[in-house]
Structure formats: C-alpha cells, structure tokens
Amino acid sequence: MDQQKAREIKSQLADYARELAERSGVAIEAHDVPDPAEAVRAPTLAIGLAPRDDGGYAIAVRYRLGVPAARSIARKVASEAGDTVDVRRTGRIRPLAADPGPGVAGTDRPGVRPPVVTAYATGETGRVRPLRPGVSVAHVDVTAGTLGAFVRVAQPPVAGADATSVYALSNWHVLAGSTSARVGDVVVQPGPADGGGAPDDRVGTLAALVPLEAGVTQTVDAAVALLDDPDVDLEYPVGRVTRTAAALGGEAVGKSGRTTGVTAGRVTAIELDDVVVGYGGGLGALRFDDQIEVESTGDGPFSRGGDSGSLVYREDGVAIGLLFAGSETGGANGTGLTYCNPVETVLERLGATLLD
C-alpha cells in the first residue's frame, strides 16, 4: 500500500492497541519508573511503517518481551492489519550512554545501558584533536557517548557565541545527562569513561538542549555544546555530510560511533510511534514518537552502549538520523535494533544546521 494509506491504517491500529492495553491493565516494569509504587500505563506496542520490496509499505508492529499481554496484543493488532504487517519483538529499549551518578540515567539503574568498557570498544575512545565525528565525548559528569556532527546555530544560545561559532551535536543524555545539568557545564573529549576529565580534556560547554520530561511524549534526545576551538575535521567515512533528508525506509545506512566504530545497516521502519525507552532515575520510561529503526546488515550490532549521538547517514552521504537508543534483541542477525531521531527534527528543535 502507499504511504498515505499506511499512515491511515497505522493511526487506527494505534488506537486499537491502546484500547487493548487498557483492557489488559498493562503497565511498565517498576524499574522503568521513578517510583516503583507509581506504576504507570504505557503503550505495549510501537507502530509505524515498514518498507516493502515493491516500494510500498506494511504496518510495522514492535512489541517488547517481558511485558505481560504484549504478545497477545501484537497478534490481535497484526490480525487486524491483515497481510500488510511486519511484526518484530524487541528486548528493553534503552539509551546508549549513561550518567555514572545516582541521578537521571545512572549506571546503577537497570533501565540504562552503560557504554561498553574502553578496552572492548572498536571506535575512537582516545583523545582526538582536531575533533572529528565519531569520537568519544560527554558532559563531565556522564560516562561516554559519541560526537555525531558539527553544526551552527542560527540564534546563538549563549553569551560570547555568534553566527560563526561551531557546536558539537550529540544526545541530551550524552551532553547533559541529568535534569540538573545547566548551560555552561563542561564537556570533555574523550568522555570520562574513556579517561577524559576537566580541565585537561575540556573541549567546550553545554550550550542548548531539548529538555526531556517525565510523562511527556518526546520526539528527540538532543543537545549541542559550544566548542572552544572551531578548528574541526568534518570528514566521515563517506566524506563530508552536509545535507539532510527524511528517511523513507529501506535505505542502506552507516554510522561512526565511539563503541562499534563504522557499521552498516538498513532502515527497517519509519514513523514509529510509542517507542518506550527506559531512562531510569528521575525520568523513568519515556515515550518517543516518529522514530526511525535500523537493523545491522553486518555480522555484529549496528550500535552498542556508547554509540549514542552518532549521526546516521545514507551511502550517498546524506544524514537521516541521530542515534540515541537500542534494544537488547531483534534484527536480522539477533544483535538488537537501533533507534534514531529524524535528524531534520533534531536540527529544527535546536535551530541548527550541519556545518559545511
């Protein structure tokens, strides 16, 4: 079916899935909420559009193992969708970097996937100057994530910046990591999990972010840091990435991340709504709409803990997403599924453009 028809059916099935979940009394697991005594209702299915080989779309249905009644609800929704459905199961979906302390997204919280230890990472975990995409970076109180891209911000968000200032783009949970983070906080490269610290490894300061709030449906997990030194290396494995596009589904994509380095994947779903990501701590489980799903086309995973913030780009060097979360299982090779914010939405929310 065409994209518009698929969107209409997706909307109807989403309402049906929520109705079934309400009847079943399904709640998120206690460790995904700030207070276990406050069990909250959450969507049991993520529903979006899955590309078909004929150029049309099927309905993408994603359900999480370990949630009571989820499989049953997925089957009923799939039955309503008929033969135009792509059903997959995932493990718990979590952000792919973490704060080491007791606050939001702490590594002592089971809802968060910490970065892979430095010795087992194949990406850029060392000190790199000039900065380049794919290297380890983080707020001084966060473990480690990935520097995804360099951008300019149309209306400089901090004093001392102007239209020519250069910013590093990554996730909120990489460059801020806590609701207590403030503009002006130090950002280091490499991230603290890889031996970075202030003042020796300072590269900039937190300049702007899209806030994450408990109980609020999100579309992006994103932030930028104002760099102390605007002299940066803009090259990716595919050359310079200066253009963006909306994901249509089925694209062959790549990314360069702190943990798994350069990996290849394929967009397996777009416009996924009700993607529930467990942040732990004070945020609990957050729901994201309009997300992109990617599976690995190699032998290993497309992403692992510490790859958060990576820019996801097509083979022709056009950016389509900002990587922020992953599942424990799923995908063609069983190594998990990766979730990305649409990069155009990220840049719009931050008032930013890719540096060229």
Side-chain angles (χ1 to χ4, degrees):
M1 71 182 115
D2 65 24
Q3 190 173 31
Q4 186 55 42
K5 180 63 175 177
R7 285 171 173 163
E8 293 172 2
I9 295 176
K10 166 194 158 183
S11 178
Q12 295 167 5
L13 291 176
D15 291 340
Y16 178 52
R18 292 189 187 104
E19 180 182 339
L20 291 175
E22 186 64 29
R23 289 181 194 169
S24 301
V26 177
I28 350 180
E29 297 174 12
H31 63 247
D32 279 344
V33 297
D35 182 348
E38 297 178 3
V40 296
R41 301 298 175 198
T44 55
L45 306 181
I47 300 180
L49 310 184
R52 294 170 60 109
D53 292 339
D54 61 7
Y57 292 90
I59 303 301
V61 176
R62 304 293 184 260
Y63 71 96
R64 173 175 149 180
L65 291 175
V67 175
R71 185 175 183 179
S72 173
I73 292 172
R75 285 176 173 171
K76 291 176 181 178
V77 170
S79 177
E80 288 293 317
D83 60 357
T84 56
V85 65
D86 173 31
V87 181
R88 300 188 183 205
R89 61 184 184 181
T90 73
R92 186 178 302 121
I93 300 173
R94 299 179 292 181
L96 298 182
D99 173 70
V104 175
T107 54
D108 59 340
R109 307 285 184 172
V112 174
R113 179 181 298 174
V116 171
V117 295
T118 305
Y120 294 102
T122 58
E124 296 271 15
T125 59
R127 192 175 193 273
V128 177
R129 303 291 186 276
L131 295 177
R132 61 174 174 261
V135 303
S136 170
V137 73
H139 184 285
V140 71
D141 292 327
V142 172
T143 52
T146 297
L147 194 164
F150 299 108
V151 300
R152 295 197 192 279
V153 178
Q155 296 182 340
V158 292
D162 58 33
T164 66
S165 297
V166 177
Y167 300 78
L169 171 67
S170 190
N171 295 138
W172 176 94
H173 71 270
V174 173
L175 297 181
S178 167
T179 52
S180 63
R182 295 291 181 264
V183 168
D185 286 356
V186 172
V187 170
V188 295
Q189 193 291 313
D194 297 318
D200 291 348
D201 300 302
R202 168 180 160 148
V203 291
T205 54
L206 178 63
L209 54 83
V210 179
L212 296 185
E213 301 177 47
V216 177
T217 299
Q218 312 290 331
T219 55
V220 302
D221 176 335
V224 292
L226 174 64
L227 296 179
D228 297 335
D229 185 352
D231 181 20
V232 296
D233 181 350
L234 299 173
E235 296 297 315
Y236 290 83
V238 289
R240 292 197 175 191
V241 177
T242 60
R243 295 178 295 145
T244 64
L248 299 176
E251 296 94 335
V253 295
K255 76 97 182 65
S256 178
R258 168 264 180 201
T259 300
T260 56
V262 179
T263 55
R266 172 180 173 269
V267 176
T268 46
I270 61 171
E271 300 180 21
L272 273 170
D273 292 340
D274 293 339
V275 177
V276 177
V277 182
Y279 280 75
L283 288 176
L286 299 183
R287 172 181 143 188
F288 285 78
D289 281 354
D290 194 28
Q291 300 302 292
I292 301 166
E293 178 187 87
V294 176
E295 71 175 7
S296 172
T297 53
D299 295 332
F302 184 73
S303 65
R304 295 182 70 190
D307 285 329
S308 273
S310 301
L311 193 70
V312 176
Y313 45 78
R314 302 186 319 210
E315 290 182 314
D316 60 358
V318 175
I320 64 169
L322 185 69
L323 191 159
F324 83 109
S327 70
E328 300 164 331
T329 58
N333 65 6
T335 58
L337 294 164
T338 294
Y339 296 90
C340 312
N341 309 144
V343 72
E344 292 185 335
T345 304
V346 168
L347 296 175
E348 180 183 0
R349 293 291 302 275
L350 291 167
T353 56
L354 292 178
L355 194 63
D356 57 21

